[in-house]
Amino acid sequence: MREQKAGTNKEAAGTHSRLSGICPVAASCGGCDLQGIRYEEQLRQKDRKLKKLLSGLADEIHPILGMKDPLHYRCKVNAAFGLDRKGNPVMGRYEKDSHFIVKTPSCMIEDETADEIASVIFSLLRSFHIRVYDEDSGHGLLRHVQIRRGFATGQYMVTLVCASPVFPSKQNFVRALRERFPQVSTIILNVNDRRTSMVLGERNITLYGKGFIEDSLCGCTFRLSPGSFYQVNPLQTQKLYETALRYAGLSGKEQVLDAYCGTGTIGIIAARRAGEVTGVELNGDAVRDAIWNARRNEVRNIRFVKMDATDYMEMLSTKAASGRRGAPDRLQKKDAEKMFHPDVLILDPPRSGTTPRFIDTAARLAPDRIVYVSCNPETLTRDLKRFRARGYRVKEVQGVDLFPFTEHVETVCLLTHK
Ligand code: SAH
């Protein structure tokens, strides 16, 4: 795969000088903050942001890795359905910071086929007598349509988020949709009957197919089900994970801890080059998918723990301390067998970053390398400062542009002992 660096590639600059301010609903839709700014300038802005926050803290900050073609990269699309002010059904995206639906039949950053599928669903509603949900009265059926694409496999999953499990003529509806889009390999009815701004409810009923799709990343195959976390820009995610693995510097023997592991993606890819991997994750559905993903890839040297990442670190640290004191009798045998001391720690926490206790315990466990993957430069900076105060040095920082036309910056950092 070719990598693109900010301000260094004339082809990128030439292609994207034209890409500015071409979305007609940019001002009202909440999706893109950087509309109207040329792509190469967006990358420069993100580079400046990382430099401002991290200069003096990191030895080396590499230019952000941008996309060759930064349009239509989002492989997950959420279309909202509702009524406009005159009571007519509308489909679109929520206006910034509100629940007013802006009509957006297509979008510059979303997968084009996914947008077409959403539009066709909207056009089918009348003939199937399906009413859209009205947030104010609580009447009506269809609230959202979520469409996910397995980027490498070309499979599409359509999730119809409805206020009730009763969907009129569902088999005919499935047939009509599949006739237009044979690449839709599964269709799910998700029941969300609560007055909530959360898109998905808890119950899924599979109307067609297996109830999930698959995608491939870095040579491994991963399952995407309606609620599971998966990065929305797989091309750039591959660059992110490749950088994370290069920083991990695995030789085949290491014990690796993948903290905040989600559906196990990074850990499973790392397991092929490591001795043993443990993934820690709080969300039970994600852990279930992670176990499935490990089996699907025939990766046997990985296990997953459903637990708060900080609590898990403290448990490891306690075990390590009692092990060092030479008191095996104080350890359960099965715990002693599972004695795990990470040589490499990979962490990919949510936007709020990790906790001071996690960092302090990580420093006590003293892994040789720490690879920090972050989706929020501000909390990353805060956490890196604490790691530095606990004896780690930030050697390299690599930004990866996972979200062109938005302000989000994804970063991966390598930390080693001072
Ligand atoms: N590394 C994964 C997921 C990163 S998203 C990937 O690349 O796909 C961050 C993950 O942290 C989410 O799956 C979320 O459920 C999990 N998480 C949030 N708080 C947590 C906590 N306190 N302990 C463990 N996991 C947590």
Side-chain angles (χ1 to χ4, degrees):
M1 189 185 308
R2 272 180 46 208
E3 289 184 342
Q4 209 88 63
K5 297 206 170 185
T8 59
N9 190 304
K10 288 202 176 104
E11 186 191 349
T15 314
H16 305 308
S17 313
R18 288 176 285 115
L19 299 180
S20 49
I22 55 178
C23 177
V25 294
S28 50
C29 167
C32 302
D33 330 280
L34 301 183
Q35 280 278 340
I37 300 172
R38 292 191 332 222
Y39 187 54
E40 71 268 32
E41 179 52 29
Q42 294 177 29
L43 293 175
R44 255 182 245 124
Q45 277 188 15
K46 292 182 182 185
D47 271 335
R48 278 199 294 274
K49 178 171 191 169
L50 283 180
K51 283 219 172 81
K52 194 167 161 221
L53 286 167
L54 298 172
S55 303
L57 188 58
D59 295 354
E60 207 172 347
I61 304 172
H62 302 287
I64 191 165
L65 300 174
M67 294 191 81
K68 185 159 178 262
D69 177 3
L71 299 181
H72 303 294
Y73 61 85
R74 274 191 73 96
C75 286
K76 176 171 153 187
V77 166
N78 278 323
F81 288 70
L83 296 173
D84 68 9
R85 291 191 171 119
K86 292 187 185 141
N88 299 314
V90 279
M91 180 200 72
R93 313 295 177 269
Y94 286 131
E95 197 179 59
K96 211 175 187 115
D97 304 324
S98 94
H99 265 211
F100 180 74
I101 297 172
V102 181
K103 279 191 207 169
T104 47
S106 68
C107 165
M108 270 176 65
I109 62 169
E110 291 174 353
D111 181 78
E112 286 173 295
T113 306
D115 282 346
E116 272 178 49
I117 294 171
S119 294
V120 166
I121 291 173
F122 186 63
S123 71
L124 288 174
L125 296 183
R126 185 194 280 260
S127 56
F128 279 85
H129 305 292
I130 295 166
R131 285 166 61 200
V132 297
Y133 181 77
D134 176 16
E135 276 198 336
D136 295 332
S137 68
H139 295 313
L141 183 66
L142 186 63
R143 302 176 70 140
H144 296 271
V145 171
Q146 185 187 84
I147 298 154
R148 297 180 89 169
R149 170 187 169 192
F151 183 77
T153 58
Q155 300 169 351
Y156 282 81
M157 168 166 63
V158 172
T159 305
L160 306 161
V161 184
C162 294
S164 147
V166 183
F167 195 91
S169 314
K170 53 183 181 244
Q171 290 317 325
N172 288 339
F173 187 87
V174 163
R175 200 170 309 126
L177 194 58
R178 288 255 316 140
E179 261 166 26
R180 286 289 300 272
F181 299 100
Q183 62 272 57
V184 171
S185 57
T186 193
I187 303 175
I188 294 144
L189 171 63
N190 174 275
V191 187
N192 186 354
D193 52 10
R194 287 169 306 172
R195 297 238 174 163
T196 166
S197 56
M198 300 279 286
V199 173
L200 294 176
E202 277 166 17
R203 190 170 156 209
N204 288 311
I205 303 166
T206 301
L207 301 183
Y208 177 81
K210 293 179 179 163
F212 62 87
I213 53 168
E214 291 186 330
D215 194 19
S216 302
L217 214 52
C218 301
C220 294
T221 302
F222 298 106
R223 164 187 179 147
L224 285 70
S225 39
S228 62
F229 178 85
Y230 190 75
Q231 293 285 8
V232 298
N233 183 342
L235 266 180
Q236 291 299 93
T237 302
Q238 184 140 326
K239 293 181 193 173
L240 180 78
Y241 289 174
E242 280 166 359
T243 309
L245 285 182
R246 186 157 47 78
Y247 286 173
L250 301 174
S251 70
K253 295 192 199 86
E254 294 79 4
Q255 297 206 327
V256 179
L257 178 61
D258 179 13
Y260 308 92
C261 70
T263 55
T265 38
I266 301 178
I268 290 169
I269 296 164
R272 297 189 162 172
R273 312 176 205 175
E276 193 188 355
V277 180
T278 298
V280 182
E281 164 65 45
L282 196 54
N283 180 304
D285 290 342
V287 172
R288 196 199 55 216
D289 282 353
I291 293 168
W292 195 92
N293 284 333
R295 283 203 197 114
R296 173 74 176 79
N297 291 286
E298 295 176 10
V299 171
R300 293 194 178 84
N301 56 339
I302 191 164
R303 64 184 196 116
F304 296 97
V305 181
K306 181 187 168 304
M307 201 168 165
D308 171 79
T310 302
D311 289 348
Y312 181 75
M313 293 297 277
E314 290 190 333
M315 192 187 81
L316 275 189
S317 159
T318 314
K319 279 189 191 173
S322 48
R324 269 201 299 275
R325 282 198 299 271
D329 53 314
R330 270 197 275 152
L331 293 172
Q332 299 267 330
K333 184 167 177 288
K334 78 175 184 346
D335 285 343
E337 274 166 11
K338 282 187 191 152
M339 186 79 133
F340 174 78
H341 196 111
D343 308 299
V344 177
L345 165 64
I346 299 170
L347 70 152
D348 183 6
R351 289 188 64 73
S352 52
T354 191
T355 64
R357 278 198 297 133
F358 181 102
I359 297 171
D360 297 352
T361 321
R364 278 202 298 280
L365 286 166
D368 298 333
R369 284 164 174 258
I370 297 176
V371 180
Y372 192 142
V373 181
S374 156
C375 56
N376 181 344
E378 276 84 15
T379 55
L380 172 71
T381 308
R382 177 201 69 201
D383 291 345
L384 290 180
K385 283 182 181 157
R386 194 168 184 108
F387 271 116
R388 189 173 63 171
R390 301 288 178 279
Y392 278 87
R393 170 176 171 185
V394 185
K395 289 201 75 163
E396 291 190 59
V397 174
Q398 176 68 69
V400 183
D401 193 23
L402 253 64
F403 307 100
F405 292 93
T406 80
E407 280 169 347
H408 293 288
V409 185
E410 194 84 12
T411 315
V412 50
C413 308
L414 168 64
L415 289 78
T416 57
H417 278 300
K418 266 187 194 158

